[in-house]
């Protein structure tokens, strides 16, 4: 029995040679991650196999991300502290500026008040000096009048020589501005009857001390016929409550009251009740 024949297939002339191709690699890529912190950044290195069969080395890609280190945290804290300190310094400076402005305002106010007080003091001193000068002038006039009256009159209660009325009026005018004080008899304060008594005493006429009795002295004179030097009284004759002396031109001089003192007034504003003549 014959053996079956085996077909012969021709082979390529290179079939005995091993393939020169490199084996293919898997198309699946692998990536290796590597992390590190450098200079405040987070570095991520990704290494992966190339999908290409011809790539011999892995490809590495570095991604840097900022990260917070201990040094940076300290710097942030220090910056916050510096900001807070600057704010505190600004507030303190503002308070000091406000205090300085307030002090300047108060100092200006105190200076104005001091100037005002100094001016008032100066005016008061000037008024006192002027008043003293006026008192000295009146004292001189009184002394002159007294000496003149003593030399030219007698001690009689009868009508004095010519010129006595002028002496009385001059004495009275020298007292203008003196104070009114009930019961006072001069030389710088009077009541109504003490002034009249002192004026007539300059020419040697002794009058009673009070107004009631003075209204009874001398000769009665109608008010329509009064002359310079006549005594005017207010109230009833013998019960008068006020006296003065007529000085001409419808005016009289008297120690009026505590608010006015010794003054010259118009008779039309305060008509008298009666008049007597003793000169």
């Amino acid at each position: 029995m014959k053996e079956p024949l085996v077909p012969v297939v021709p082979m390529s002339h290179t079939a005995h040679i091993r393939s020169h191709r490199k084996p293919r690699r898997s198309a699946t890529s692998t990536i290796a991650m590597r992390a590190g912190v450098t200079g405040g950044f987070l570095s991520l290195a990704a290494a992966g196999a190339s999908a290409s069969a011809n790539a011999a080395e892995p490809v590495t890609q570095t991604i840097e991300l900022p990260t917070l280190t201990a040094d940076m945290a300290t710097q942030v804290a220090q910056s916050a502290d510096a900001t807070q300190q600057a704010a505190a310094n600004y507030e303190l400076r503002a308070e000091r500026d406000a205090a300085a402005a307030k002090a300047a305002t108060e100092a200006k106010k105190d200076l104005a008040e001091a100037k005002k007080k100094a001016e008032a003091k100066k005016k008061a001193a000037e008024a006192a000096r002027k008043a003293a000068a006026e008192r000295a002038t009146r004292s001189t006039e009184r002394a002159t009048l007294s000496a003149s009256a003593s030399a030219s009159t007698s001690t009689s209660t009868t009508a004095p020589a010519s010129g006595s009325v002028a002496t009385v009026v001059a004495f009275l005018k020298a007292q203008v501005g003196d104070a009114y004080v009930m019961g006072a008899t001069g030389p710088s304060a009077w009541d109504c009857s003490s002034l009249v008594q002192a004026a007539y005493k300059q020419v040697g006429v002794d009058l009673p001390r009070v107004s009631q009795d003075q209204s009874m002295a001398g000769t009665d004179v109608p008010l329509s016929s009064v002359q310079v030097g006549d005594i005017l009284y207010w109230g009833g004759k013998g019960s008068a409550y006020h006296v003065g002396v007529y000085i001409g031109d419808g005016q009289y001089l008297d120690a009026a009251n505590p608010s006015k003192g010794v003054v010259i007034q118009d008779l039309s504003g305060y008509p008298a009740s009666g008049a007597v003549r003793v000169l």
Side-chain angles (χ1 to χ4, degrees):
M1 184 176 174
K2 293 182 180 181
E3 293 181 2
L5 297 175
V6 177
V8 176
V9 180
M11 297 182 63
S12 171
H13 67 282
T14 59
H16 67 283
I17 301 174
R18 183 176 294 184
S19 175
H20 64 275
R21 291 182 181 177
K22 292 181 179 180
R24 291 185 180 182
R25 296 180 181 178
S26 174
T28 304
S29 299
T30 58
I31 299 175
M33 302 289 291
R34 186 173 71 250
V37 176
T38 304
F41 291 88
L42 174 64
S43 298
L44 297 178
S50 172
S52 172
N54 295 325
E57 298 294 335
V59 177
T60 300
Q61 185 177 3
T62 301
I63 303 173
E64 294 184 348
L65 299 175
T67 185
L68 187 63
T69 65
D71 290 341
M72 291 183 67
T74 302
Q75 292 176 1
V76 170
Q78 290 176 348
S79 177
D81 290 342
T83 301
Q84 185 176 3
Q85 184 62 42
N89 291 340
Y90 178 81
E91 183 177 358
L92 178 60
R93 184 165 60 252
E95 291 177 354
R96 289 177 178 174
D97 291 344
K102 182 178 179 181
T105 301
E106 292 179 352
K108 185 176 180 180
K109 182 179 179 181
D110 291 342
L111 179 60
E113 187 67 20
K115 287 183 178 180
K116 184 177 180 180
K117 289 181 179 180
E119 185 66 21
K121 187 176 181 179
K122 181 179 179 181
K123 289 182 179 180
E126 181 65 20
R129 184 195 63 77
K130 185 176 180 181
E134 291 177 351
R135 285 194 298 270
T137 300
R138 287 198 299 268
S139 297
T140 301
E141 291 176 352
R142 291 168 184 168
T144 301
L145 290 172
S146 296
S148 175
S150 297
S152 60
T153 62
S154 66
T155 58
S156 173
T157 58
T158 59
S162 177
S164 297
V165 172
T167 300
V168 170
V169 173
F171 175 84
L172 290 170
K173 288 183 177 181
Q175 317 313 311
V176 171
D178 283 358
Y180 175 99
V181 177
M182 178 66 72
T185 57
S188 58
W190 314 84
D191 61 19
C192 64
S193 57
S194 69
L195 179 61
V196 171
Q197 183 186 49
Y200 282 95
K201 191 173 183 178
Q202 304 302 311
V203 294
V205 177
D206 290 328
L207 291 176
R209 170 64 180 84
V210 296
S211 59
Q212 294 89 340
D213 295 336
Q214 289 178 3
S215 67
M216 300 291 293
T219 303
D220 289 338
V221 178
L223 291 174
S224 59
S225 301
V226 293
Q227 298 179 3
V228 175
D230 288 347
I231 298 174
L232 303 174
Y233 62 85
W234 285 259
K237 187 175 179 65
S239 60
Y241 59 84
H242 187 67
V243 291
V245 177
Y246 185 71
I247 60 174
D249 299 324
Q251 294 182 318
Y252 66 96
L253 190 153
D254 67 335
N257 53 51
S259 62
K260 290 184 178 180
V262 178
V263 292
I264 294 174
Q265 305 188 81
D266 290 331
L267 190 57
S268 61
Y270 189 32
S273 303
V276 294
R277 184 171 298 156
V278 295
L279 291 178

